Amino acid sequence: MTNPGDIYGTMATSADVDDISTRNDGNCNIPILYLGQHDSIRQQPLGDLAYGHLLNLGFTFVTAPITNGNYHNRVLDLAKDHLASIEQQGVSVNTTHTPSIPDPVVPPITAEDTGLYPTLSSKSYTAYCSPWIDICSPSPVISSISRQVLNQEVNYANFCGVRTVIIPGPRQDATTPVSSDGLARYSRAIKEALNVAPRLNFVIHIPMYREPGLEENISSLTATLSRTFKLGTEDSSKAGPIDLFSAWDSWDQIRSFCEYSLRLFVGIRLPKILPERALQTRWFAEPVHLISISKDSFQLNKSKFPCLSRDHQDLIHEFYTLKNTPWVMLCDVGPDAATLAKASITDGEFDLKVPGEADFPSLSEAHSSRSVKTGGSKPAVSDYVKYMRWIEGTQEPLSDLEYNTLSSFQDWLQSPLQPLSDNLESATYEVFEGDPVKYNQYEAATMEALRWWKKTNRKTSSASGAVVVAVAGSGRGPLVDRALKASRATGVPVEVWAIEKNPNAYVYLLRRNVLEWSGKVTVVRTDMRSWKGPLLSKLDEAPEKYGQVDILISELLGSFADNELSPECLDGIQHVLAPDAISIPSSYTAHLSPIATPRIYSDLLSRATADKTTFDTPWVVRLFQIDFAAVRGVPGHPLFQEMWEFSHPMPKATWDQMIARGKSGLIGGVGGSMEGSVGANEHNARFSRVKFVCLNRGVIHGLAGYFESTLFECKDGDDKVKVEISTHPERIDQKSKDMISWFPIFFPLKRPLHYPDDSEIEVSMWRQTDDKSVWYEWMVEAYCWTGQNKRLKLDSSDLCSSRSVACKML
Ligand SMILES: C[S@@+](CC[C@H](N)C(=O)[O-])C[C@H]1O[C@@H](n2cnc3c(N)ncnc32)[C@H](O)[C@@H]1O
């Protein structure tokens, strides 16, 4: 079961930033679009009037440059003078070692260099670093100057109280030796800047992929100075085909360098043509703080209104399902500084009415529409804003459950429950009981089992002829309710026993028996493994006589099926079962898939110093902002692979073996493979190794785990029936749609594992036991083929183990 924890408490992870867009608190469950405006040539932060105009227009934030043209010119002059003096000394301007000519020092920012000052509204500013800096420059001098500028700007923005600063991303990726050198310098500079400005959130502004025209449109220092000096600029004419994942590679390198800082985010520039789905889902998993859309990414429909393609709309809607919804920033859609200044005076240019469908007709409708934009003029900024607000309104509303509860759980780490060693609280049971799907499936399974019992004319274990049903681990009794309901529905009489070890839940069950079940249920407080079976003799009669159970109902499943020790508990109660007895569930399987989940990894890293078991813990988590590493549809290697299965009741041979091992005194924490001997619980140990196929290179942060369970199956003749529950992402809708009782489980890796294009990932997983506890061990390896029969191992995780947080059997 998922730990509901403090379901009504604070859900935000430490990875959250508190100033990102929040949800609408109106009646419609639609996230608000946090819409911003960026003007790449703006020189000064906006004054209050101009800022107010943009807010009235429908924007929620506006970017502010940290420094102005004066500063730019000063830095440019400094760089020019320095490069000239190097040349005068007969040294190449690209030389990396100039011991006799130290790098120039950029003088501090002066009052003439900036229009940004600490004010009451500084906190709401989103600062934009100078787009002309070029830390990746092949010229060491320009790289050094750019790094100094970055530090001065973020330091000053931090002083002013700004919360978020956008930093232009590297202009090239690590696809050539020159730019890989630049990227290393860029990554290091960001790490340094994070230390320089300890309160700022950093957003690296980078294209989704290197679509031509998507880069910063401001000339970099390198480009400007290469008109005068022979700087080692790269020959762009040699550029090969676009490598779709190279920009993501750069981002991955920067954040890895910065050790997944919780203050480091990415802002993705949306291209005109969206890339393949695999790259979209890759970015979806990243800590995307903003999505920027330039004027060029908009199309004009026949009425000359700006609009985005259906794919762009879908992508924005997808990002808006996130709890931490990214901002959307419109770049260079106007108004420019001069127009804004005019508008501040006349106060008449901008009006904003709420747009409707008619404002955004399809292309064909637009052709014949009355609302053709007159004058053939360029779209006004208000057209862009109206359009984005229209997109906001066309989002699919979230269901009440998703909106009010589930979205809070996105990627929120919970320690797995230990219902065997801990006693749950009433509120926890109450949360379980809030999921009707699970109980409906249990009721359906019980009805089918009773029907089968009746149809096959089986002897029951009771003197009255009623089928003896035991609910093992009854909690507050919801499965008892469903068993009684199933009996009424099928007309098959039952004798119900409720077995529960939690002393508090036991009291609740006794009360329900009197008030609701008319004393028809026998409630027993015991560990099911010590229960001797239904008591047949009178209380004071000696010797005591015990009967058997025909149908055993239990719900002891965890997010990975067996991780809450269902196998061990059900083995322990098997001795009370009649020879033909049915167990509901009759079997369950565990499934895995390797995933990238940068947000969760950042969260884990931040906890790891205080809690040494962070990376040993298989976390229960509603995995949401994730990307699956493997591809779907590879025969024999599906995206989700089954690791193992448990069935109940266990076969006689296994039972005999378990008894024999127990008799040899091994039970009680001395047996098991890690103790160098075979323990009594050894039949519940498992091992599996599976292979996943990956097309595009990427990174793995851990393994996502799911389960499926057959509650009841009848394979007889024409009466085939199977009642199941599942959290398997590809099958949950078919088997138990909308079931929310279990979130997935996440087995983390201590160190992210990178894999190249066309590689194979092999996952080894063990279920280990030493007779007093159960734990998992997991390992991930990456391989690629180097010849027809030759594979090269590229990387491997450590052997990870949850033994330090093992589930206790005793
Ligand atoms: C996941 S809860 C399910 C409760 C209830 N059947 C429901 O569906 O809401 C598991 C229950 O089994 C009980 N339990 C776990 N191990 C047990 C054991 N060995 N003997 C008796 N009860 C056990 C726990 O105390 C808990 O009440």
Side-chain angles (χ1 to χ4, degrees):
M1 292 296 278
T2 288
N3 178 4
D6 51 340
I7 190 166
Y8 305 112
T10 311
M11 297 307 166
T13 68
S14 46
D16 299 338
V17 281
D18 50 7
D19 55 352
I20 61 177
S21 53
T22 52
R23 295 207 183 270
N24 193 350
D25 57 2
N27 282 334
C28 51
N29 303 342
I30 286 182
I32 288 178
L33 189 72
Y34 202 79
L35 188 65
Q37 191 254 20
H38 172 64
D39 178 352
S40 58
I41 54 168
R42 183 177 293 141
Q43 292 278 320
Q44 301 283 355
L46 295 183
D48 286 350
L49 258 181
Y51 191 60
H53 271 302
L54 288 183
L55 297 188
N56 286 342
L57 204 58
F59 287 110
T60 4
F61 75 97
V62 182
T63 61
I66 302 171
T67 55
N68 57 24
N70 194 57
Y71 183 70
H72 183 193
N73 289 338
R74 279 206 304 118
V75 174
L76 204 56
D77 289 346
L78 179 81
K80 250 190 230 160
D81 292 350
H82 189 81
L83 291 172
S85 74
I86 293 180
E87 266 187 353
Q88 270 165 18
Q89 296 185 30
V91 181
S92 158
V93 287
N94 296 318
T95 189
T96 39
H97 300 292
T98 53
S100 57
I101 321 165
D103 283 346
V105 176
V106 179
I109 296 173
T110 67
E112 288 75 43
D113 294 333
T114 181
L116 185 71
Y117 295 104
T119 61
L120 282 179
S121 47
S122 310
K123 259 175 94 175
S124 65
Y125 283 161
T126 299
Y128 203 99
C129 278
S130 288
W132 41 263
I133 60 173
D134 188 6
I135 300 166
C136 298
S137 172
S139 155
V141 170
I142 293 179
S143 176
S144 161
I145 289 178
S146 298
R147 184 183 55 80
Q148 294 178 58
V149 169
L150 175 70
N151 282 344
Q152 287 191 3
E153 291 196 335
V154 296
N155 193 4
Y156 185 67
N158 191 60
F159 161 77
C160 289
V162 167
R163 301 283 286 277
T164 306
V165 63
I166 304 174
I167 302 173
R171 294 191 186 221
Q172 284 132 9
D173 306 313
T175 41
T176 68
V178 181
S179 48
S180 81
D181 170 53
L183 191 63
R185 275 181 279 125
Y186 183 95
S187 310
R188 204 207 151 278
I190 299 297
K191 187 166 184 180
E192 186 176 309
L194 278 163
N195 286 334
V196 167
R199 289 192 313 108
L200 273 182
N201 291 317
F202 282 30
V203 182
I204 307 295
H205 198 193
I206 200 165
M208 200 167 192
Y209 70 93
R210 297 287 174 185
E211 182 183 71
L214 202 55
E215 60 278 353
E216 282 291 343
N217 53 14
I218 300 297
S219 175
S220 71
L221 278 182
T222 316
T224 308
L225 290 169
S226 62
R227 287 180 216 132
T228 318
F229 301 95
K230 273 200 150 162
L231 299 173
T233 47
E234 284 179 67
D235 183 358
S236 57
S237 62
K238 285 195 196 132
I242 296 174
D243 177 349
L244 277 186
F245 282 77
S246 69
W248 176 83
D249 284 336
S250 294
W251 158 248
D252 181 52
Q253 162 155 347
I254 297 162
R255 60 92 177 283
S256 303
F257 225 94
C258 298
E259 295 165 272
Y260 284 76
S261 166
L262 289 169
R263 291 189 290 121
L264 186 63
F265 299 87
V266 64
I268 41 175
R269 294 172 184 271
L270 224 53
K272 268 189 259 190
I273 299 169
L274 282 190
E276 60 187 47
R277 186 82 192 125
L279 184 57
Q280 294 183 33
T281 57
R282 179 66 56 82
W283 282 115
F284 178 78
E286 296 295 344
V288 176
H289 199 305
L290 65 84
I291 297 171
S292 76
I293 315 177
S294 80
K295 194 171 63 188
D296 295 343
S297 295
F298 284 90
Q299 308 162 359
L300 292 187
N301 66 14
K302 292 230 166 103
S303 308
K304 298 278 196 307
F305 281 104
C307 56
L308 292 170
S309 74
R310 164 61 63 191
D311 290 346
H312 285 79
Q313 294 174 34
D314 290 347
L315 182 108
I316 293 170
H317 287 160
E318 190 172 2
F319 271 98
Y320 267 72
T321 59
L322 289 171
K323 174 179 66 176
N324 299 315
T325 46
W327 303 348
V328 171
M329 185 170 83
L330 301 185
C331 299
D332 298 322
V333 294
D336 58 26
T339 319
L340 254 182
K342 234 187 335 171
S344 322
I345 301 163
T346 58
D347 201 13
E349 169 139 346
F350 309 115
D351 66 354
L352 180 72
K353 72 174 170 59
V354 178
E357 281 282 344
D359 288 302
F360 304 105
S362 67
L363 291 181
S364 58
E365 282 164 354
H367 188 53
S368 57
S369 165
R370 335 140 236 130
S371 63
V372 175
K373 211 168 164 47
T374 50
S377 58
K378 286 191 297 184
V381 61
S382 53
D383 293 333
Y384 291 96
V385 177
K386 284 177 194 171
Y387 181 72
M388 293 312 296
R389 292 290 168 210
W390 177 77
I391 287 192
E392 176 185 46
T394 55
Q395 291 172 87
E396 191 70 37
L398 303 174
S399 69
D400 282 347
L401 184 67
E402 180 68 45
Y403 183 72
N404 295 320
T405 309
L406 287 185
S407 62
S408 321
F409 283 101
Q410 282 181 15
D411 303 307
W412 186 63
L413 298 167
Q414 298 171 273
S415 309
L417 286 178
Q418 294 239 9
L420 184 54
S421 50
D422 298 340
N423 284 323
L424 306 179
E425 289 172 14
S426 184
T428 308
Y429 289 115
E430 200 177 323
V431 175
F432 298 164
E433 291 159 20
D435 178 8
V437 180
K438 176 186 97 175
Y439 297 106
N440 290 345
Q441 291 299 92
Y442 264 86
E443 185 181 327
T446 311
M447 279 170 61
E448 294 298 344
L450 289 174
R451 276 194 196 115
W452 179 81
W453 204 281
K454 187 169 160 187
K455 202 171 141 229
T456 51
N457 268 328
R458 259 147 225 276
K459 217 167 119 333
T460 71
S461 301
S462 72
S464 66
V467 177
V468 181
V469 174
V471 179
S474 307
R476 303 200 313 176
L479 292 177
V480 174
D481 282 330
R482 299 301 184 124
L484 293 170
K485 223 170 143 196
S487 161
R488 284 195 298 275
T490 53
V492 180
V494 291
E495 183 184 291
V496 180
W497 292 74
I499 317 301
E500 176 55 59
K501 57 110 193 150
N502 180 341
N504 308 310
Y506 168 71
V507 176
Y508 195 83
L509 287 167
L510 288 177
R511 184 179 154 83
R512 289 198 72 191
N513 195 25
V514 174
L515 296 179
E516 297 174 47
W517 301 326
S518 315
K520 278 194 230 135
V521 176
T522 313
V523 183
V524 183
R525 195 192 86 186
T526 180
D527 186 311
M528 65 181 81
R529 295 168 297 176
S530 327
W531 189 44
K532 295 188 177 137
L535 185 65
L536 298 180
S537 50
K538 301 236 164 54
L539 271 182
D540 47 3
E541 197 181 309
E544 291 163 336
K545 273 196 248 147
Y546 296 95
Q548 291 185 312
V549 170
D550 299 322
I551 299 180
L552 178 72
I553 304 173
S554 68
E555 195 285 86
L556 305 161
L557 298 170
S559 298
F560 202 46
D562 50 85
N563 58 307
E564 289 180 11
L565 305 192
S566 180
E568 284 72 17
C569 290
L570 295 186
D571 287 356
I573 195 176
Q574 185 159 329
H575 61 275
V576 306
L577 298 187
D580 274 341
I582 294 170
S583 170
I584 296 175
S586 62
S587 66
Y588 32 89
T589 48
H591 304 253
L592 276 184
S593 189
I595 56 167
T597 170
R599 262 195 193 271
I600 292 181
Y601 187 73
S602 298
D603 194 1
L604 291 175
L605 268 188
S606 70
R607 296 165 183 238
T609 336
D611 177 3
K612 297 282 172 249
T613 63
T614 302
F615 281 101
D616 302 338
T617 306
W619 295 94
V620 169
V621 50
R622 184 175 182 227
L623 295 171
F624 198 85
Q625 201 174 358
I626 62 168
D627 187 29
F628 292 104
V631 274
R632 288 175 204 270
V634 179
H637 306 290
L639 180 53
F640 303 96
Q641 298 201 37
E642 184 178 317
M643 303 309 282
W644 49 65
E645 180 174 22
F646 286 89
S647 312
H648 300 285
M650 73 172 100
K652 172 136 186 357
T654 318
W655 170 261
D656 291 343
Q657 196 185 53
M658 181 186 84
I659 297 295
R661 284 179 188 157
K663 280 202 181 120
S664 64
L666 286 171
I667 200 143
V670 289
S673 56
M674 295 302 275
E675 305 297 332
S677 65
V678 176
N681 194 34
E682 205 56 29
H683 61 287
N684 284 328
R686 295 282 186 280
F687 167 69
S688 187
R689 186 174 166 93
V690 291
K691 189 199 291 180
F692 297 87
V693 176
C694 306
L695 269 187
N696 302 304
R697 61 190 181 271
V699 62
I700 294 171
H701 298 103
L703 305 166
Y706 307 89
F707 82 92
E708 297 203 276
S709 173
T710 300
L711 297 180
F712 176 77
E713 181 169 19
C714 171
K715 294 180 183 156
D716 293 352
D718 296 338
D719 284 342
K720 288 194 182 59
V721 54
K722 197 172 186 184
V723 184
E724 293 172 274
I725 52 176
S726 172
T727 64
H728 186 301
E730 289 172 341
R731 298 201 280 254
I732 181 171
D733 282 358
Q734 169 207 334
K735 297 185 176 177
S736 46
K737 190 168 169 29
D738 296 332
M739 185 178 72
I740 51 158
S741 287
W742 292 270
F743 292 156
I745 198 161
F746 177 63
F747 296 93
L749 298 185
K750 285 193 186 77
R751 184 178 56 81
L753 181 129
H754 285 87
Y755 56 93
D757 292 338
D758 296 319
S759 52
E760 292 178 348
I761 300 295
E762 300 218 347
V763 174
S764 305
M765 170 76 86
W766 291 260
R767 188 182 199 263
Q768 299 280 32
T769 172
D770 62 2
D771 288 354
K772 63 178 179 208
S773 61
V774 168
W775 68 97
Y776 297 92
E777 291 170 4
W778 59 100
M779 185 174 74
V780 183
E781 295 155 90
Y783 291 89
C784 74
W785 289 92
T786 54
Q788 231 183 8
N789 295 313
K790 203 163 169 215
R791 270 195 339 167
L792 182 69
K793 181 159 163 175
L794 301 163
D795 199 0
S796 169
S797 73
D798 295 341
L799 176 63
C800 309
S801 168
S802 64
R803 195 171 192 187
S804 60
V805 289
C807 286
K808 303 274 177 295
M809 284 164 63
L810 301 174

